[in-house]
Amino acid sequence: MKLVKSLLLGSAAGLIAVGGAQAADLPVKAKAVEYVKICSLYGAGFYYIPGTDTCIKLGGYLRADAAIHATDFNPYASGTGGAENRLSNYYYFRAREDLNIDTRTATEYGVVRTFADLTFSWTTGGYSGTGAGATGYDVISGTTSSAPGNASGGNIAGGALGVYYAFIQFAGFTMGKAVSQFSAPWTNYPANNFDGLVGNGGTVTGVTQFTYTADFGQGMTLALSAQDPTVYYQGGVVNASLATSAGIVGGSLGGSAYGGTRSPDLVAAFRADQAWGLFQASVAAHDNHVAYYGATETSGHPDDKWGWAGQLALSIKNIPTGAGDTINMSGVYTNGASFYNFQDLAPHAWSMFGGTGLAGAYQSVGFATLTDSVFIPGSGQELTTTYGFSGGYTHNWDPYWNTSLYGSYGAVRYNSTAKGFICGTAAMGALLTAGSTCNPDFNYWVIGTKTGWTPVKNLTFSADVNYSEIDTKYAGSVAYGGSTVTAKPAAIYEIKNQGTVSLLLRAQRNW
């Protein structure tokens, strides 16, 4: 592989040199080719870019996944997956190539580093109802086509490009898209392959930031960061007056009403990285900025309200059970900053169907919604509180086999005023049957195990199986109007906790 990289870099340098010649130039004696030289300053795999004092390293992986009873590598939570009917996919396939480019240059001010991580993925889509017995094909990016052979809607030879990281580091500063400083080093993967664990603020695909990290030596660092919360850390500022009965069962408590950007999230993280493991304490402040109560600016708006989050993370290495065995764990508390607990790849809305023993009911359903805040026209924002934890233990049986156990738990709590907004809507009144209880609080938990086999260096086959459950605090039953998208009929549905078993099979070659 080193020889291939050397030849590629040398060929590129030669092509650049040839391209610089002009058609009208007189024949001259060709210059000797400058071969790529190994750069040993920054570890294995670096080479000098010809003609410069900059070192470059190429790396990445190729991965093939099969997710059974899971969607986009999360357990089923909503949509056609949660419907548990003939529209639900039994499996999803994904093929992904990851490419990372690391460059470093020594200067009088220290090392200048750039790093980019790009992914190229193709993922199975699915079918959802369009009414009158027809269905449309949905790709992971969200486009839809009623024709399964349509090249854009069907994602034929299409796929998706992901920009995970793209940042510059210089003199202690990090500028660009990188893992949030709030995150623990393992982000949302303490010992798992599935994406959707809660109880951590992981941003494995990066978040745009401006960060200064002070290094005190002996593994002690303090990072101060301003990061863009857009999408990655926006859990929803929800206008409950816009709720519909169908939307509530589908996992929505109303209309999210974000205004434009006002303030970045402010993050501080202290980390002690030692031979025995790691300890980290992180805090974040998050501004919840609503646009308007109504359709125009004359309708008014609630004032901004700041939320916050705190996390403690601990990693213990080389524990007595075996060489290389590791325990990773984290605990999070948030108020008005829910995505620092329910990270961006985790489920945020649940609408799961199952069987029922209630007389007169068609099926059962469990539904829940995560938000940062809730309001109604004329009110202020009521912040949502969450707390949770995640952890994992990995045991190495030998140099080729390892097994892990992992789990996570997240709790969401609305205060009494927010519950009044949510439960007092006409939509909720029409949805709940007589004697039913309205309580939007919920818990979500996951427990699982993963086993990996590495027959040769950098090639791993793994299987990850877990059970997840949504524990809703609503009780009774609902008069649901049904959905053409999930093919659910209008009927009485019992409100009930719902759980699912999911399996992720993976083959991955790192290079």
Side-chain angles (χ1 to χ4, degrees), residues 182 198-202 282 308-313 329-335 337-343 385-390 409-411:
F182 188 89
V198 300
N200 58 79
S282 312
W308 67 277
Q311 175 178 250
L312 296 177
M329 65 184 78
S330 61
V332 187
Y333 186 94
T334 76
N335 182 245
S338 300
F339 273 24
Y340 285 91
N341 183 6
F342 287 72
Q343 45 88 15
T385 296
T386 82
Y387 51 89
F389 63 85
S390 64
Y409 170 86

Side-chain angles (χ1 to χ4, degrees), residues 54 101-105 112-116 166-169:
T54 296
I101 306 167
D102 191 347
T103 72
R104 305 189 194 191
T105 307
V112 177
R113 183 192 185 200
T114 68
F115 187 85
F167 61 82
I168 299 170
Q169 288 181 318

Side-chain angles (χ1 to χ4, degrees), residues 310-327:
Q311 175 178 250
L312 296 177
L314 178 68
S315 178
I316 304 174
K317 299 187 293 187
N318 298 318
I319 57 181
T321 55
D325 289 7
T326 305
I327 295 175

Side-chain angles (χ1 to χ4, degrees), residues 73 109 134 162 166 172 190 223 232 236 250 270 273 293 295 323 354 360 434 470:
F73 307 90
Y109 298 101
Y232 283 97
F270 171 78
D273 198 342
Y293 289 128
I470 180 66

